[in-house]
Amino acid sequence: MDPTTDNAGQTGDPGNARAALEALRAEIAKAVVGQDPAVTGLVVALLCRGHVLLEGVPGVAKTLLVRALAAALELDTKRVQFTPDLMPSDVTGSLVYDARTAEFSFQPGPVFTNLLLADEINRTPPKTQSSLLEAMEERQVTVDGTPRPLPEPFLVAATQNPVEYEGTYPLPEAQLDRFLLKLTVPLPSRKDEIDVLTRHASGFNPRDLRAAGVRPVANAADLDAARAAVAKTTVSPEITAYVVDICRATRESPSLTLGVSPRGATALLATSRAWAWLTGRDYVTPDDVKALALPTLRHRVQLRPEAEMEGVTADSVINAILAHVPVPR
């Protein structure tokens, strides 16, 4: 299928859905250069009904990436800049008194969208950070005792800066565990950076994606069909045991004070299934598990201070575990 073809009317078929989601890469590349792994991670999260933590220095197109994804998927998106004075009601919404009717009415907050970009989430206090927990886990917001469901699909893409620690509030382990994936958004290569500057010199405006040629190549119906197909992807008992062995090994690592919980093991199984389906298979292989292990597990472990001082990273620990855990044949 031509990646530029509008998929309206071609939904419901898993083959069409896969082609439509594959076309996202080419469409997003019209606006964002060289971030294919992050694009793939966001698509995997959508397939698994999960959320994503994006980590990278300022100016690597994290915001543009989410906006381009929403445009290519024909989904609604909103952005919240998290600051120290942000209140929970600024995210979830609040009851507003209407003098004309002498009644309180609910004014929805920006969380009522398909793709919520929570920019610099670690710059706001824990009380406001926690306002997202119910939305992320239950896909609803409760205000004044009344639960209000969020739109479907719903994904939180939260960004945090890895280098600026002053004035930040580190995310607690319980909230980190709610994110399906932690994706690193690196600085571009020299070639990609030249491409970025060339585009800007030619008049590219990151605030006008329509002018950049980004248009819908998939929609919510494609996503529904894809999710149904992912749910049918076969997982053998050997693969299930392999995922469990990897996660249990993190709990026994001398470099870690906190290993991966059973929720993390479930997440790794889910992301592996989504990746297997995206690559054209209806069964999961050990390579699928290895491919998703780092982004799925790196934020679910905690390093010992002495290991961190020696330059050990979460990624290096997980890679060592992948190299030692026996791979099923």
Side-chain angles (χ1 to χ4, degrees):
M1 189 173 84
D2 185 349
T4 62
T5 299
D6 193 336
N7 290 288
Q10 298 186 22
T11 60
D13 181 272
N16 287 336
R18 183 187 288 115
L21 294 180
E22 287 174 352
L24 285 175
R25 294 182 184 179
E27 201 65 20
I28 293 173
K30 295 177 181 178
V32 182
V33 178
Q35 298 294 357
D36 274 358
V39 174
T40 301
L42 285 165
V43 173
V44 166
L46 281 168
L47 290 175
C48 298
R49 293 181 170 85
H51 307 284
V52 173
L53 186 62
L54 297 168
E55 186 173 271
V57 299
V60 291
K62 298 187 293 293
T63 301
L64 181 60
L65 178 63
V66 175
R67 289 180 54 240
L69 176 68
L73 271 172
E74 208 170 9
L75 297 176
D76 183 43
T77 182
K78 289 186 175 68
R79 174 179 176 270
V80 179
Q81 180 66 51
F82 280 71
T83 57
D85 59 350
L86 194 74
M87 299 296 291
S89 59
D90 295 329
V91 178
T92 61
S94 59
L95 294 175
V96 178
Y97 181 73
D98 188 337
R100 292 174 299 177
T101 61
E103 294 179 348
F104 284 93
S105 61
F106 178 67
Q107 185 66 37
V111 75
F112 286 86
T113 186
N114 296 124
L115 298 183
L116 176 68
L117 178 63
D119 221 351
E120 294 186 300
I121 191 173
N122 56 338
R123 287 203 176 279
T124 200
K127 184 177 180 179
T128 304
Q129 289 177 5
S130 65
S131 68
L132 277 177
L133 282 178
E134 182 188 13
M136 293 169 67
E137 190 68 18
E138 307 295 335
R139 298 180 183 275
Q140 67 178 26
V141 167
T142 301
V143 177
D144 197 34
T146 303
R148 293 174 170 85
L150 295 171
E152 182 62 37
F154 173 70
L155 178 144
V156 173
T159 72
Q160 66 176 11
N161 193 315
V163 295
E164 291 182 9
Y165 295 108
E166 186 176 349
T168 62
Y169 302 84
L171 294 175
E173 290 79 9
Q175 186 156 352
L176 282 172
D177 205 36
R178 293 301 197 281
F179 286 100
L180 181 73
L181 299 171
K182 179 182 178 181
L183 305 175
T184 56
V185 185
L187 289 165
S189 65
R190 181 176 182 273
K191 177 180 177 297
D192 286 341
E193 196 164 2
I194 289 173
D195 190 4
V196 171
L197 268 62
T198 301
R199 292 185 183 195
H200 279 265
S202 301
F204 171 71
N205 181 1
R207 294 171 182 81
D208 189 355
L209 295 177
R210 186 180 296 275
V214 179
R215 64 190 188 90
V217 293
N219 54 34
D222 291 313
L223 201 53
D224 286 341
R227 286 171 170 176
V230 169
K232 297 176 182 176
T233 303
T234 303
V235 181
S236 69
E238 292 78 15
I239 292 295
T240 302
Y242 182 51
V243 170
V244 168
D245 289 344
I246 290 171
C247 295
R248 291 182 69 85
T250 65
R251 303 169 203 162
E252 299 166 2
S253 170
S255 299
L256 302 176
T257 58
L258 179 69
V260 177
S261 68
R263 179 190 286 148
T266 303
L268 180 54
L269 188 63
T271 57
S272 300
R273 292 177 86 182
W275 175 243
W277 181 83
L278 276 173
T279 52
R281 281 176 285 101
D282 61 357
Y283 59 92
V284 180
T285 69
D287 286 341
D288 297 324
V289 177
K290 289 181 178 180
L292 271 297
L294 285 180
T296 308
L297 303 182
R298 59 165 58 110
H299 56 298
R300 304 175 192 272
V301 300
Q302 193 171 78
L303 289 167
R304 292 188 181 278
E306 55 270 28
E308 202 166 1
M309 290 176 64
E310 293 172 1
V312 176
T313 65
D315 284 13
S316 65
V317 172
I318 294 169
N319 279 326
I321 287 171
L322 292 175
H324 286 90
V325 172
V327 179
R329 299 295 179 186

